[in-house]
């Protein structure tokens, strides 16, 4: 499952917009719901600050 690197996350929401399963919420940082995540990697590709890793 993808993991948020909180030090890099700028809470822009690009990952949440790209997530087809709605598994990401954004407040101060992005948070991935492991129960909804399908490991598709769309959030990794969408993140402009490289804050999401596998």
């Amino acid at each position: 499952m993808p993991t948020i690197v909180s030090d890099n996350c700028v809470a822009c929401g690009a990952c949440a917009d790209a997530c087809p399963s709605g598994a990401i919420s954004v407040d101060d940082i992005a948070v991935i719901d492991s129960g909804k995540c399908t490991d598709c990697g769309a959030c990794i590709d969408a993140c402009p600050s490289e804050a999401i890793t596998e």
Side-chain angles (χ1 to χ4, degrees):
M1 183 180 99
T3 304
I4 303 292
V5 179
S6 60
D7 291 342
N8 293 352
C9 182
V10 296
C12 69
C15 58
D17 291 341
C19 181
S21 60
I24 303 175
S25 59
V26 180
D27 194 14
D28 291 333
I29 65 168
V31 177
I32 300 173
D33 181 333
S34 62
K36 292 181 181 179
C37 179
T38 61
D39 293 320
C40 71
C43 58
I44 295 170
D45 294 336
C47 182
S49 59
E50 298 180 354
I52 306 174
T53 61
E54 267 191 79

